[in-house]
Amino acid sequence: MKLHNRDVRTDVRELGALVGDVLAAQASTEAYETVEELRNAAIDYRRGDAPDRGRLHERVGGLSEVREGIVARAFTTYFELINLAEERERVRAIRNADDEGALHDSFEATIAEFAEQGVEPEELEELLADVLIEPTFTAHPTEARRSTVKSKLRSIANHLGELDERNLTERERNAIWRDVTAEVTSLWGTRQVRQRPPEPEDEARNVQWYLENTLFDVVGDAYEEFEETISQEYGDVDCPKLFEFRSWAGSDRDGNPFVTPEVTDETLERQREVAVEKYRDQCKRLSAVLSQDGERYAVGDALTASLAADAERFPTVVEEARERYPDEPYRQKLRLMRERLDRIDDVRPGGYPDSDAFLDDLDVIADSLAADGQDAVRESFVEPLRRQVDTFGLTLASLDLRDHRENHTEAVAEAVAAEGVDYREMDESGRQAFLTEAILQADPVVDADDPGDVSETTERVIRRFEALAEWQDEYGAQAIDTYCISMTEEPSHVLEVLFLADQVGVVSLPDHCGLDVVPLLETESALNGAERILGTLFDNDAYAAALDTRGDVQEVMLGYSDSNKENGFLAANWDLYENQRRIARFCRDEDVTLRLFHGRGGSISRGGGPMNEALLALPNETVTGQVKFTEQGEAIAEKYANPRIAERELEQMLDAQIRARHEATAEPTEDVPERWVDAMEIMAPAARETYRGLLNSDGFVSYFGQATPISVVEDLNLGSRPASRSGERTVEDLRAIPWVFSWTQTRLILPGWYSLASGIDAYLDAVGEADGLATLREMYEEWPFFQTTLDNAGLALARTEPEIAAEYADLADDDLRERFFPELVGEYERGRELVLAISERDQLLRREWLEESLGRRNPYVDPLNLLQVNLLGRSDRTDEEERTLRLTVNGIAAGMKNTG
């Protein structure tokens, strides 16, 4: 059976032609011809039909100010639409492979493999019970696109889906294409660049959109697929809760003074409203289905008792339900369930106190249907809603709080100073002793309602903890029950948060602790000191009591972004791998369950890459079944905007996690040959030394400022928080996102590969090239960690274009260019050579479709890069030129499908 009417070439060709038609109609035929000249000049050089980019340079340099803006808009629009074409191709690939039973990384294949290996049903149930996957949407959109633009693109994507998957008459096809043309025309006239930074509320709504419009519906379908797959091999095996979604949007305070308690309160309220409205709609839908005649079908005793309890709780509503639905008990019950949903945020009593109570009512309906032989109805209509409630609760996504540890230290010091305690002068041991005693005593130390004359920072921190107590009372502890501490370096940094929570009643030991306190380890010193930090906490009376109330589960967050920016790609990856193993072994020895929280970004240098491969590459010791990781930027849209792709992402995550957990159960301590570890212990320090040598070189910061568009990126209004921590232009102070974004714009993806070659060469020099290369090939073939690391570096290398980067390097002072650019290119070329030699491939990329995508995009990104360089080289730019420059940043980001 033919599933699709189109292919990616058709989509690319027709959408590209449509951009040309709209350009000619909305601008002019001459503007269209200019864009065509630039496009053809770029293609000619890429194909080898032109000796150099001279003609392209000439065309770009001769553009008028107005024409520059049109060119930037044309290529940006093209990339936005080509991204949709490639998304549609991914959907085709998923559907075709699914239809043919050939999906790789599929849950179905893994379950069949388990059955063949003799995995017993009880063993499978234990594996599934261990697994909990928590994608966490962060407050860093890092998307250059405006929400208005994304909305228009989503509409176009839906039209493409109709053209591709539906059997249409010619009249219907023409009507849909007319709508596509109208949307593209509207897109052309829409401002691409934000005029103001998004506010935290905008970021929270952005995250909410994916939860509400895609994931909420996808989850029920995904569980249905999982259960069907399991039943084919194992019969009746319970499939427990496997996913939970969390968010930092509207609650992450680190470096963002605009995230206030009011923002968090609004986010919690809005998310609850969305969840409740979703459930109310689903109950109405169920009511249309569950119209069974009570006189013909038996109703379970539990349902009868539940209706009787409702009659006491809502006598008037029950009477109305009986009149409206005589002898239709399921409809009566659903009417009362809607009433209870309506009263959740109402002064009237009787609303559901939590999602468990709502789930109990659904269970009553499900059990009654099952007892009366109506399993088909239960499975098709009730079970998906149960899964939604189990996953999203009444909160849609639980929020994590986060702030920098310095703010907590200042708040504690100032608050207790009013009580005569000199916290600042205490050493680490003294701070721990004071905080422990204060947490364990019955009475509070400070008056959170009136902390006295304190700084703005202290007032803000204490106010937040007071609000936390109120939020948990209002929305339930599960709505906001995690507190992450950035730049944790000492045990006292964790105890400070526990102390502040204790002062407002969120913690009351030994009986209650309302939150997980999560150290974020992101510096080399913090990672290497993880056992010291955790060991001190586990031995601490107060923290041990808190941990006990949380089920002895310790969440630890690892910072990929800052680790990479501090150490370089290879050294950061090895540090994270080794420290994860040490942390996991330590927690196991302490009889504490570790939940690792991987602070991954969208780009390779910030821990990005395919999530299923990343999960499979984790050390066995760390795979407890529970795993948490950040999702941000374009990665959110790429994974969760399209329902079919979103469902596939969930399947791949589950498949990877259950396979990894099965392997970890069989082999709790990963058997990594000593010679592999020795190789990494030579490569990583050498790579770190080379990387830090570059960053610490006199003049490098100036070169970075001159040879990248960092000054534009800093003002691009990507997110609500500032681009740097203090406003200073230093690599240390700059946030990881603009650091990576700026290099990505220049097509020199330095954060994804720099010093890789130096590290590998140090190993080859130490053991000899022949023996060393043989060992590295063995590591690549047999060790998921090393294979994933090298493949990710290969992707960054494949997306690097030294010739384009040279154009940006020419913007720098001559002496800076000569000092740095040849070194960067040399490291790139050697890295490319080594990745090919170790992987024994003739191309950097393992995936053919990705190679095709780069080949399709590169000729169209080139004109934008040259236009951007041209604009950056002007000392005085007009307002129109500034707008065009910012638009080139958007366009290149769309073309590269990445910011930071």
Side-chain angles (χ1 to χ4, degrees):
M1 179 180 69
K2 185 180 178 183
L3 296 177
H4 302 100
N5 305 315
R6 301 164 67 87
D7 57 34
V8 68
R9 290 179 179 83
T10 301
D11 286 338
V12 169
R13 183 180 66 252
E14 293 187 0
L15 289 171
L18 179 56
V19 172
D21 292 342
V22 171
L23 166 61
Q26 298 299 307
S28 67
T29 303
E30 292 76 12
Y32 165 75
E33 291 171 350
T34 298
V35 170
E36 282 296 286
E37 288 176 1
L38 292 170
R39 185 177 72 88
N40 289 323
I43 290 173
D44 287 346
Y45 176 69
R46 288 277 181 173
R47 286 179 177 170
D49 296 335
D52 54 38
R53 287 192 172 91
R55 186 159 66 99
L56 185 57
H57 272 286
E58 182 182 343
R59 294 290 187 274
V60 171
L63 294 174
S64 67
E65 184 177 291
V66 171
R67 194 60 56 85
E68 285 175 338
I70 292 173
V71 165
R73 179 171 293 278
F75 282 106
T76 299
T77 304
Y78 172 83
F79 284 125
E80 298 284 20
L81 297 180
I82 296 317
N83 288 344
L84 297 183
E86 292 188 351
E87 177 190 276
R88 171 96 318 248
E89 181 65 5
R90 187 179 174 192
V91 171
R92 287 189 197 101
I94 292 170
R95 296 183 78 232
N96 284 330
D98 188 30
D99 189 51
E100 296 164 7
L103 267 177
H104 63 89
D105 302 324
S106 74
F107 188 62
E108 183 177 4
T110 295
I111 293 298
E113 184 181 322
F114 282 178
E116 189 176 330
Q117 291 174 356
V119 175
E120 296 295 329
E122 297 78 12
E123 189 178 349
L124 177 60
E125 282 192 335
E126 287 180 11
L127 281 173
L128 291 169
D130 287 342
V131 169
L132 182 63
I133 301 168
E134 300 183 78
T136 302
F137 300 101
T138 76
H140 322 310
T142 66
E143 271 194 284
R145 291 178 298 188
R146 295 176 59 209
S147 296
T148 300
V149 171
K150 286 193 292 185
S151 176
K152 293 180 184 299
L153 292 172
R154 191 47 38 202
S155 175
I156 296 169
N158 292 336
H159 289 316
L160 289 178
E162 288 184 278
L163 291 169
D164 191 36
E165 295 182 16
R166 286 180 55 196
N167 288 323
L168 300 167
T169 66
E170 184 175 0
R171 183 191 298 272
E172 289 169 336
R173 280 194 299 273
N174 290 339
I176 292 173
W177 194 254
R178 184 180 64 244
D179 290 344
V180 172
T181 302
E183 288 282 14
V184 174
T185 303
S186 175
L187 179 64
W188 177 268
T190 300
R191 186 184 296 275
Q192 288 271 355
V193 179
R194 294 187 184 100
Q195 291 184 288
R196 64 167 181 85
E199 296 177 353
E201 293 90 340
D202 299 324
E203 295 169 340
R205 288 189 188 95
N206 179 59
V207 165
Q208 181 187 306
W209 188 93
Y210 296 99
L211 292 163
E212 177 183 356
N213 293 289
T214 305
L215 286 166
F216 187 88
D217 294 325
V218 160
V219 158
D221 296 335
Y223 274 107
E224 186 177 354
E225 289 289 331
F226 300 153
E227 290 178 319
E228 174 64 24
T229 298
I230 293 169
S231 67
Q232 288 174 3
E233 298 287 350
Y234 284 93
D236 188 21
V237 169
D238 182 47
C239 185
K241 177 179 179 178
L242 301 168
F243 294 93
E244 184 175 287
F245 297 96
R246 304 187 70 91
S247 176
W248 284 9
S251 60
D252 176 15
R253 270 102 173 132
D254 183 21
N256 194 340
F258 307 113
V259 180
T260 62
E262 288 76 19
V263 169
T264 305
D265 189 62
E266 181 184 328
T267 302
L268 287 165
E269 183 178 4
R270 188 172 58 249
Q271 288 187 173
R272 183 166 70 178
E273 286 174 357
V274 168
V276 168
E277 187 60 32
K278 283 282 188 181
Y279 298 141
R280 200 179 189 287
D281 289 345
Q282 292 290 70
C283 284
K284 288 187 72 173
R285 179 168 173 261
L286 265 181
S287 185
V289 173
L290 300 183
S291 56
Q292 287 85 343
D293 186 345
E295 293 185 353
R296 294 176 55 205
Y297 290 90
V299 174
D301 291 341
L303 179 55
T304 301
S306 180
L307 284 168
D310 287 333
E312 293 184 12
R313 187 184 293 115
F314 309 116
T316 304
V317 182
V318 166
E319 186 61 33
E320 180 265 324
R322 287 170 178 167
E323 290 178 6
R324 185 171 181 182
Y325 305 117
D327 294 321
E328 294 179 330
Y330 292 112
R331 284 183 160 177
Q332 291 175 19
K333 180 61 186 172
L334 287 163
R335 169 64 187 88
L336 293 158
M337 289 167 67
R338 294 203 306 273
E339 182 70 22
R340 294 194 73 183
L341 288 168
D342 288 342
R343 295 192 182 202
I344 285 175
D345 197 17
D346 197 305
V347 294
R348 296 173 298 169
Y352 284 115
D354 51 40
S355 59
D356 287 342
F358 181 40
L359 204 54
D360 288 342
D361 275 351
L362 286 172
D363 286 340
V364 166
I365 292 175
D367 292 344
S368 180
L369 289 169
D372 203 32
Q374 300 186 68
D375 275 327
V377 177
R378 176 183 61 81
E379 290 172 2
S380 293
F381 297 101
V382 182
E383 282 302 316
L385 177 54
R386 288 188 69 260
R387 291 299 187 181
Q388 289 167 332
V389 177
D390 199 25
T391 302
F392 299 101
L394 297 178
T395 61
L396 203 62
S398 298
L399 299 187
D400 289 3
L401 288 165
R402 184 174 75 130
D403 202 353
H404 197 286
R405 44 100 172 166
E406 289 179 350
N407 294 333
H408 309 132
T409 301
E410 181 177 345
V412 171
E414 285 198 19
V416 301
E419 306 299 326
V421 180
D422 193 351
Y423 185 79
R424 283 195 178 89
E425 291 302 311
M426 295 180 187
D427 60 14
E428 174 62 20
S429 177
R431 289 182 176 187
Q432 291 175 29
F434 166 74
L435 293 167
T436 302
E437 186 177 352
I439 293 166
L440 291 176
Q441 75 177 33
D443 296 326
V445 176
V446 300
D447 183 355
D449 291 330
D450 184 17
D453 186 16
V454 294
S455 67
E456 182 182 345
T457 295
T458 296
E459 184 178 355
R460 189 166 60 240
V461 170
I462 291 177
R463 184 170 164 233
R464 177 191 318 147
F465 277 90
E466 281 197 296
L468 172 59
E470 295 169 4
W471 294 326
Q472 291 199 345
D473 286 342
E474 173 69 18
Y475 301 101
Q478 76 284 353
I480 184 163
D481 63 353
T482 299
Y483 201 114
C484 188
I485 307 161
S486 297
M487 291 293 175
T488 299
E489 296 282 345
E490 297 292 345
S492 64
H493 298 149
V494 176
L495 292 174
E496 286 165 355
V497 169
L498 196 65
F499 166 79
L500 290 166
D502 172 77
Q503 299 303 292
V504 297
V506 172
V507 171
S508 180
L509 298 176
D511 303 317
H512 175 69
C513 179
L515 79 168
D516 291 323
V517 186
V518 181
L520 169 48
L521 309 178
E522 44 199 330
T523 65
E524 184 183 7
S525 61
L527 286 166
N528 291 334
E531 292 166 88
R532 173 184 62 82
I533 295 169
L534 293 176
T536 302
L537 290 170
F538 294 167
D539 289 338
N540 180 276
D541 290 343
Y543 194 80
L547 198 62
D548 180 64
T549 69
R550 304 297 291 179
D552 285 321
V553 176
Q554 176 62 57
E555 185 173 308
V556 176
M557 185 173 184
L558 303 175
Y560 286 67
S561 301
D562 283 290
S563 180
N564 179 285
K565 191 159 67 72
E566 181 186 17
N567 300 292
F569 176 76
L570 184 63
N573 274 274
W574 179 241
D575 280 356
L576 287 163
Y577 181 87
E578 275 290 86
N579 281 296
Q580 285 178 65
R581 295 183 79 187
R582 285 204 292 268
I583 293 168
R585 289 169 183 163
F586 180 77
C587 287
R588 186 172 61 195
D589 291 343
E590 295 289 319
D591 202 25
V592 171
T593 300
L594 173 66
R595 177 171 59 235
L596 280 177
F597 184 4
H598 301 275
R600 297 159 54 90
S603 62
I604 293 300
S605 55
R606 299 183 55 240
M611 180 56 65
N612 56 312
E613 293 181 7
L615 292 173
L616 287 169
L618 293 175
N620 285 11
E621 295 92 326
T622 71
V623 186
T624 61
Q626 299 187 35
V627 67
K628 189 173 172 182
F629 47 84
T630 53
E631 300 274 35
Q632 59 183 269
E634 293 90 346
I636 295 178
E638 197 169 316
K639 293 179 180 182
Y640 303 114
N642 182 286
R644 191 63 188 86
I645 292 174
E647 186 176 348
R648 172 65 172 150
E649 285 288 336
L650 296 183
E651 180 191 15
Q652 286 185 296
M653 288 177 197
L654 176 58
D655 174 65
Q657 189 65 0
I658 193 175
R659 284 167 59 196
R661 180 57 185 155
H662 179 56
E663 184 178 334
T665 303
E667 187 181 347
T669 300
E670 189 172 4
D671 183 18
V672 181
E674 196 62 34
R675 64 183 179 281
W676 296 359
V677 175
D678 291 343
M680 292 304 306
E681 290 293 352
I682 293 173
M683 289 189 286
R688 181 185 292 108
E689 183 179 355
T690 297
Y691 178 82
R692 288 184 176 174
L694 174 70
L695 265 61
N696 295 328
S697 295
D698 184 40
F700 177 72
V701 173
S702 296
Y703 176 78
F704 171 64
Q706 294 174 20
T708 75
I710 178 60
S711 58
V712 184
V713 169
E714 287 175 324
D715 296 328
L716 199 57
N717 296 330
L718 283 177
S720 66
R721 73 175 186 172
S724 68
R725 291 177 170 86
S726 67
E728 297 295 324
R729 174 66 61 74
T730 65
V731 174
E732 294 79 12
D733 188 69
L734 193 69
R735 294 193 184 279
I737 292 170
W739 163 253
V740 176
F741 193 0
S742 299
W743 288 113
T744 302
Q745 287 281 302
T746 71
R747 314 278 287 282
L748 190 74
I749 322 294
L750 177 153
W753 49 256
Y754 185 78
S755 77
L756 173 73
S758 294
I760 295 175
D761 276 334
Y763 172 65
L764 296 178
D765 290 344
V767 302
E769 184 147 348
D771 290 344
L773 196 56
T775 298
L776 292 172
R777 285 172 174 166
E778 179 186 302
M779 292 163 62
Y780 180 78
E781 185 68 26
E782 300 179 23
W783 193 11
F785 159 75
F786 190 69
Q787 183 180 92
T788 300
T789 299
L790 210 68
D791 283 345
N792 284 340
L795 176 56
L797 287 162
R799 297 172 69 215
T800 293
E801 293 283 337
E803 287 188 31
I804 295 294
E807 305 280 351
Y808 288 86
D810 288 342
L811 295 170
D813 295 340
D814 290 345
D815 63 323
L816 293 177
R817 187 197 191 284
E818 293 309 309
R819 283 175 54 200
F820 293 110
F821 188 65
E823 178 184 341
L824 300 180
V825 172
E827 189 74 17
Y828 157 79
E829 291 175 343
R830 180 59 176 157
R832 191 178 191 284
E833 179 184 334
L834 287 167
V835 170
L836 292 174
I838 295 168
S839 64
E840 297 184 278
R841 293 194 301 265
D842 57 5
Q843 61 183 31
L844 290 167
L845 300 174
R846 282 196 297 123
R847 298 172 179 83
E848 184 178 342
W849 66 266
L850 193 50
E851 192 81 31
E852 292 176 0
S853 176
L854 284 177
R856 185 159 46 235
R857 291 164 179 278
N858 281 337
Y860 294 81
V861 186
D862 295 351
L864 280 176
N865 280 120
L866 296 187
L867 176 55
Q868 185 179 91
V869 169
N870 199 309
L871 291 163
L872 287 170
R874 299 174 191 172
S875 55
D876 295 311
R877 290 186 290 270
T878 66
D879 291 344
E880 181 67 25
E881 288 172 332
E882 284 288 350
R883 283 191 290 271
T884 300
L885 177 57
R886 290 154 67 90
L887 184 53
T888 64
V889 173
N890 281 50
I892 294 168
M896 299 291 287
K897 295 184 76 172
N898 195 260
T899 53

